[in-house]
Amino acid sequence: IAGTGTGYQQAKRVLHLAVPDRLHAREREMGIIRQFLRDHICGRRPGSLYISGAPGTGKTACLSRVLLDCKDELAGSKTIVLNCMSLRSPACVFPSLAQALGLPAATGREGLRSLEKRLTAPGPMVLVVLDELDQLESKGQDVLYTLFEWPRLPSSRLVLVGMANALDLTDRSLARLGTHGSPRLLHFPPYTREQLTSILQDRLGQVAGDPVLDAAALQFCARKVSAVSGDARKALDVCRRAVEMVELEVRSQTLLKPLPGGEW
């Protein structure tokens, strides 16, 4: 039973990993992100990329994986990753960036000017990754416009990557940028039933011993989740709960087993 218990722990752990070594069905998207970073960071060309897709479609996991894989290539640049959900208001993104760049605290016009000056001064490329970008929508979209206009400034060294759920964020909020200033778009579609099945099989295949959940259970889970959302996090969650239930059931059966010789 000790061995089995470890199997369940392992299964729960592999179903929980946010950034796995392999990301199924996202090879194309990872290739595009990797090439974008090489062209712009290594090629010293400022630019912007907007990644859209519903929750659980692998946006953050793919970008995190690419950043890990390209660590050596990006070593000469400065990388700042910020989740915009953690900001009190859209304008708070500027002091957060200033702090990450080692600038003295300044707000309003002065703060923006010093940031702009730093990002157009000679130096290494600066990669800014903004997750939950839609949190920066504001009246007149001034915050988003300022951010996406910075890579277009003369001698800018900013490469901006934004991620959000909305497919139309750039059309809706950044129409004034026009076609030349608009970020490159990359959309993550929801996972299909087959893709979710292979994600679950791959995760649970890393656990030694007999399968904790059988193939039919994985297929059922993938079919249900793909019909509703195609959200891989939901599928992993459902399987993790199933493993917990199996574990409890096995544990209770073990406790109730009669002792040899018919004694209790």
Side-chain angles (χ1 to χ4, degrees):
I1 286 302
T4 318
T6 313
Y8 294 129
Q9 294 308 316
Q10 256 188 307
K12 286 188 287 186
R13 202 164 43 248
V14 297
L15 290 166
H16 199 70
L17 271 179
V19 186
D21 293 336
R22 290 189 298 277
L23 277 137
H24 276 277
R26 289 293 181 244
E27 291 78 12
R28 175 188 157 270
E29 288 80 358
M30 282 176 69
I32 290 169
I33 296 170
R34 196 177 288 121
Q35 198 54 53
F36 174 84
L37 294 179
R38 281 181 182 149
D39 291 348
H40 291 271
I41 298 283
C42 307
R44 292 194 64 83
R45 281 173 47 217
S48 56
L49 172 70
Y50 173 64
I51 302 173
S52 65
T57 49
K59 306 183 296 295
T60 308
C62 279
L63 185 59
S64 304
R65 186 71 258 163
V66 171
L67 290 176
L68 282 171
D69 293 345
C70 298
K71 209 161 60 201
D72 292 346
E73 291 169 73
L74 302 176
S77 60
K78 168 87 177 159
T79 301
I80 301 165
V81 180
L82 196 58
N83 188 315
C84 301
M85 283 283 251
S86 65
L87 302 171
R88 281 200 317 280
S89 71
C92 287
V93 70
F94 301 122
S96 297
L97 291 176
Q99 190 184 4
L101 288 168
L103 289 169
T107 52
R109 286 246 165 274
E110 194 195 332
L112 280 178
R113 257 201 306 272
S114 67
L115 259 172
E116 212 161 282
K117 212 169 153 189
R118 174 60 63 92
L119 291 169
T120 51
M125 295 301 282
V126 177
L127 170 63
V128 172
V129 176
L130 299 172
D131 205 352
E132 310 283 2
L133 186 72
D134 43 353
Q135 297 297 313
L136 300 185
E137 291 194 80
S138 59
K139 200 172 179 209
Q141 303 301 0
D142 293 347
V143 172
L144 284 172
Y145 272 111
T146 301
L147 288 165
F148 279 95
E149 278 174 341
W150 277 345
R152 300 166 64 199
L153 295 172
S155 49
S156 172
R157 51 193 174 101
L158 174 66
V159 176
L160 185 64
V161 177
M163 291 185 282
N165 301 338
L167 179 59
D168 64 345
L169 179 76
T170 48
D171 300 340
R172 197 175 69 238
S173 308
L174 298 169
R176 285 205 316 263
L177 284 176
T179 44
H180 295 302
S182 287
R184 174 162 186 188
L185 304 180
L186 173 61
H187 181 63
F188 277 61
Y191 285 109
T192 63
R193 178 172 58 87
E194 294 77 18
Q195 289 169 342
L196 286 174
T197 304
S198 79
I199 288 168
L200 296 172
Q201 284 171 338
D202 185 62
R203 293 285 185 105
L204 288 167
Q206 295 168 39
V207 181
D210 294 333
V212 179
L213 297 175
D214 66 15
L218 296 188
Q219 289 278 0
F220 178 75
C221 170
R223 191 167 69 245
K224 288 289 180 191
V225 173
S226 67
V228 178
S229 62
D231 180 337
R233 283 187 298 214
K234 276 206 171 66
L236 292 165
D237 222 32
V238 169
C239 282
R240 204 163 57 242
R241 286 207 294 273
V243 170
E244 281 165 6
M245 285 165 70
V246 172
E247 186 181 15
L248 284 172
E249 203 176 305
V250 168
R251 203 174 283 164
S252 64
Q253 283 173 1
T254 313
L255 291 172
L256 294 172
K257 238 182 225 168
L259 293 168
E263 295 167 27
W264 282 85

